[in-house]
Amino acid sequence: MKNVNVIGWFFNTDGLLLGGNSTAENCFFKVNDDTIKLYFSNMTITNIVIWQEVNGAPMQLTWNVSVPTSNNYVNHVDIIRCEHILGNMTNQTKGIFNSVHGGIGLLSNYVFENFTIDNADGRLFQLWFVKTSYNTNQMGGGNIKDITFRNIKVTNSMTQPNLVNNESLTNLDTGIYGFDRIRFENVSVQGVPLSLSTFNLTPNSTQNPGYTTPSNFAKNFAASSFMVGGNVNPTALTPGQQLTAQVSLRNGTSTSQDYVVILALYDSSGNMVNTSQATATVAGYSDSQDLSLTGFTLPRVHITR
């Protein structure tokens, strides 16, 4: 699918749902429900412009997907406006990046990178395990793992906290469900690097009496951002400037874990030229712990004649 413009204004006017092993590029969407729906494997979506109206999410990872789904890649997306109504942010599709997962499917290996988001002041991430009234026959908890959000820049402030949460997960099949190995790399909101402290990672156990331990819900999360001379999400490395990094870690296991974070610089030949590292011990079921890597000065280019 190439060079297609889609415009709709009634509720339930979705954007794009292609099958497996499909591609879409150079398209514009102004719709009033989910714009990009990644419900099949091996989808590649590139060079997309989105104007999201009041309903739906620009990026919908799942809506009770019931089969294994993997290897989806979304790159170079400009979201020029999102009209989510802030007084109704409890709706299940009110995140820029959204999931509504009450099905049994295992979602894995999704990459979202190189996003610019303007005129959106609601919620950036809303990742739910939820039983919806629109698909009451779905049973099971499923899993979502190995998801990467990279080089994402929001130009204005976001007024709503990010959510990684569950609602009404009753009558689920027994077994492990939840999120694991979710990475946020170089994500910033109004120039501020994303930290896991901006997330609500607390399970809503009052609506799920069968819920037992947080390890069944959200395990390993990490958020990292790079700065060059104080510039977040730089598009290039500037010689002579300081390269630093900020990392947020979340340990969803029952025991404390030791972490080593390494910032490394390589030259064009693939040789490592400098490193900086930090260590931390993160307690079990810890919401998050932030680390700062002091980094190093980027070398100046030497030209020999």
Side-chain angles (χ1 to χ4, degrees):
M1 176 176 174
K2 295 182 180 181
N3 304 315
V4 175
N5 296 334
V6 179
I7 298 176
W9 49 91
F10 292 108
F11 261 51
N12 303 323
T13 52
D14 293 76
L16 175 67
L17 175 58
L18 299 177
N21 304 298
S22 59
T23 61
E25 59 182 280
N26 301 325
C27 297
F28 170 79
F29 297 92
K30 183 183 179 184
V31 296
N32 206 7
D33 210 330
D34 302 327
T35 299
I36 305 296
K37 302 195 286 189
L38 300 164
Y39 300 172
F40 298 92
S41 296
N42 304 311
M43 299 175 66
T44 300
I45 314 293
T46 60
N47 297 321
I48 303 296
V49 177
I50 296 173
W51 181 325
Q52 187 70 43
E53 297 180 65
V54 297
N55 189 36
M59 294 287 137
Q60 188 70 272
L61 282 69
T62 169
W63 189 281
N64 286 349
V65 170
S66 60
V67 297
T69 306
S70 63
N71 302 322
N72 287 323
Y73 180 61
V74 185
N75 183 31
H76 287 297
V77 175
D78 290 328
I79 299 174
I80 61 175
R81 186 173 181 84
C82 183
E83 299 179 349
H84 288 162
I85 300 172
L86 299 185
N88 185 27
M89 292 303 290
T90 58
N91 186 281
Q92 294 170 356
T93 59
K94 291 299 187 181
I96 299 295
F97 298 93
N98 205 86
S99 74
V100 178
H101 199 50
I104 60 175
L106 167 61
L107 278 62
S108 62
N109 298 317
Y110 285 31
V111 175
F112 301 86
E113 65 179 349
N114 301 317
F115 278 63
T116 299
I117 302 168
D118 301 310
N119 301 303
D121 58 358
R123 177 173 290 126
L124 185 55
F125 296 101
Q126 182 163 286
L127 306 177
W128 297 74
F129 273 80
V130 59
K131 193 72 174 174
T132 78
S133 58
Y134 303 104
N135 200 343
T136 56
N137 293 326
Q138 279 291 353
M139 299 292 291
N143 282 271
I144 298 176
K145 69 177 184 179
D146 293 313
I147 310 296
T148 299
F149 303 93
R150 179 186 297 125
N151 297 335
I152 295 170
K153 180 184 293 185
V154 183
T155 62
N156 50 264
S157 62
M158 305 294 284
T159 61
Q160 304 299 310
N162 297 302
L163 293 182
V164 179
N165 213 341
N166 68 310
E167 293 281 351
S168 303
L169 276 174
T170 57
N171 301 319
L172 289 173
D173 295 340
T174 58
I176 303 300
Y177 63 90
F179 299 91
D180 192 8
R181 298 195 297 272
I182 310 299
R183 294 173 291 272
F184 306 92
E185 301 175 4
N186 235 29
V187 179
S188 65
V189 177
Q190 208 173 28
V192 177
L194 182 73
S195 170
L196 294 186
S197 61
T198 67
F199 282 75
N200 176 359
L201 290 167
T202 305
N204 190 350
S205 58
T206 59
Q207 296 195 39
N208 179 18
Y211 179 83
T212 54
T213 65
S215 63
N216 283 355
F217 176 63
K219 293 185 180 178
N220 301 297
F221 277 65
S224 60
S225 290
F226 299 93
M227 288 74 71
V228 174
N231 181 26
V232 180
N233 286 358
T235 57
L237 300 180
T238 305
Q241 294 290 318
Q242 188 77 4
L243 174 65
T244 61
Q246 178 175 305
V247 179
S248 243
L249 302 168
R250 196 266 180 182
N251 175 17
T253 67
S254 60
T255 59
S256 63
Q257 302 288 329
D258 295 327
Y259 294 86
V260 178
V261 180
I262 300 174
L263 173 65
L265 178 68
Y266 292 81
D267 63 20
S268 59
S269 300
N271 300 312
M272 185 185 296
V273 297
N274 212 335
T275 64
S276 176
Q277 71 178 49
T279 61
T281 299
V282 182
Y285 302 148
S286 172
D287 281 346
S288 68
Q289 182 164 329
D290 295 337
L291 294 175
S292 295
L293 282 77
T294 55
F296 39 79
T297 301
L298 292 168
R300 299 186 180 277
V301 178
H302 298 280
I303 300 177
T304 57
R305 299 181 180 178

